[in-house]
Amino acid sequence: MNFVEELRWRGMLHDIMPGTEELLNKGMTAGYIGFDPTADSLHVGHLTQIMTLTHFQRAGHKPFALVGGATGMIGDPSFKSHERNLLDENTLQKNVAGIKAQLENFLDFTGANSAVMVNNYDWFKNFGFLEFIRDVGKHITVNYMMSKDSVKKRLEDGSGLSFTEFSYQLLQGYDFYHLWKNENCALQMGGSDQWGNIVTGTEFIRRKDGGEAFALTTQLIKKADGTKFGKTESGAVWLDPKRTTPYQFYQFWLNTTDVDAKSYIRIFTFLDKAAIEALETEQDAAPHQRAIQKALAKDITIRVHGEAAYQKAVKSSEFLFGNVGIEFLNELNDTEVLGLFEGVPNFMISRNDLENRINAVDLLAGYTAVFPSKGEAKKMIQGGGVAINKTKVGTAEDFFNTDHLINNKYLVAQKGKKNYFLIIAE
């Protein structure tokens, strides 16, 4: 497998420094990508770089994943409109630990080209300021640093740039130098917004030690409509199941547009060209079957959360849109239940009130506002259009109590087939 060609046909490659392909063709090369520990979990926006490192390893090269425990204290200003809040050391260390655990699910840390995880805090924690400006700062001119597009953009838009942020490219450049010097790491990779920082590293290596290093960047992923990839109305889509449940994660990919799905299945899966083209043919013949979205959602959900979580996510979809019974909710924890019903109207009810039995009309239009009036609730019940816990309510006098609670906490009401309401007893 040729790493660069793999990125090319998948539509991932953006920029590549001359000589990089020749370097990679000579044999196993060490290369790295940095991850900013601004949270204790990565999100789907990081998946492009995770996949890049994984393809790099699959092509026989040695991947380094650098977690920026030190640079995370500053924040990369590249194409950001405002300076980030600085994180304290304890928060950063917690974030680093969370990211490490997630990266270990993607990369192989055994074998001849085993992945290596490093934290730049390890070499910066005892690096004094005077030593840094003497040994690093003198090699890169201010003019060179000011020429970077990411710096010029911040200065031109009037938001300014602190010295802390301005120094970031020196810190990232030194990361590259440290790995080049100590780990024979000759290639740095990243998103296209990182080109300036990466090239600063190659320039620092050349000026300080007369060495040669290389750069490669990938496309920044956007939706076909130009909006940011990886964001939903409720925020980022995380890899941590406590932040984004496997069902929500699965639905994110399943709901991808046809245009985006054709791009994403190349970028975010290991399916080969023939398999992807077969899916495209199938999709074109029957778009309503959403063959690409289903294959995409399955592949990524299994890789991030495992087969069991994927099966539960599929079953969750069938619960809402198919014929899976209410007993399925007993298989879910509270986070998963609330994730399943995200965006669905929620109503709170007192457990004490439920102890005394409540008839259907009072439950749906008195203790909660599933219906705006008792008359409307009664009318729809009589028409057979109301269900609680997926069982049709027969009469307005049907009663409910704590024995009906799912997981000893929930009642699920439905108006018709598609309008769900979650009633939570506390």
Side-chain angles (χ1 to χ4, degrees), residues 125-280:
K125 62 185 176 184
N126 295 319
F127 207 155
F129 178 71
L130 293 178
E131 183 185 1
F132 181 79
I133 59 174
R134 182 193 65 195
D135 293 348
V136 180
K138 72 176 184 178
H139 293 286
I140 302 293
T141 67
V142 171
N143 287 350
Y144 180 86
M145 296 172 71
M146 295 278 286
S147 70
K148 301 302 180 187
D149 288 342
S150 57
V151 172
K152 286 195 292 187
K153 186 174 186 297
R154 282 286 292 274
L155 295 177
E156 289 168 358
D157 68 14
S159 59
L161 191 71
S162 71
F163 176 77
T164 302
E165 289 185 294
F166 186 57
S167 66
Y168 187 93
Q169 61 179 293
L170 291 180
L171 294 169
Q172 187 169 329
Y174 185 81
D175 283 341
F176 199 174
Y177 172 78
H178 177 90
L179 292 175
W180 174 84
K181 186 84 170 174
N182 296 283
E183 304 290 352
N184 196 30
C185 194
L187 174 65
Q188 184 181 170
M189 298 164 281
S192 59
D193 60 340
Q194 290 297 307
W195 181 259
N197 288 338
I198 295 173
V199 171
T200 296
T202 65
E203 184 67 9
F204 178 65
I205 290 167
R206 185 186 69 79
R207 294 186 185 187
K208 183 169 174 60
D209 279 9
E212 189 176 32
F214 298 88
L216 180 152
T217 59
T218 54
Q219 303 278 359
L220 291 182
I221 309 303
K222 286 188 176 181
K223 296 180 183 178
D225 62 8
T227 58
K228 190 168 184 178
F229 166 75
K231 293 285 187 179
T232 65
E233 289 182 7
S234 58
V237 179
W238 300 91
L239 305 191
D240 184 343
K242 295 188 181 77
R243 288 173 173 259
T244 299
T245 67
Y247 167 73
Q248 293 167 321
F249 186 85
Y250 173 76
Q251 285 293 318
F252 170 79
W253 300 103
L254 195 64
N255 291 326
T256 302
T257 66
D258 289 351
V259 173
D260 287 331
K262 288 182 177 181
S263 169
Y264 296 169
I265 199 155
R266 284 168 160 75
I267 297 168
F268 299 115
T269 77
F270 295 120
L271 295 176
D272 61 29
K273 202 169 185 178
I276 290 172
E277 288 174 349
L279 282 169
E280 288 173 338

Side-chain angles (χ1 to χ4, degrees), residues 21 99 112 121 124 227 276:
E21 289 187 80
I99 291 171
Y121 184 75
F124 275 124
T227 58
I276 290 172

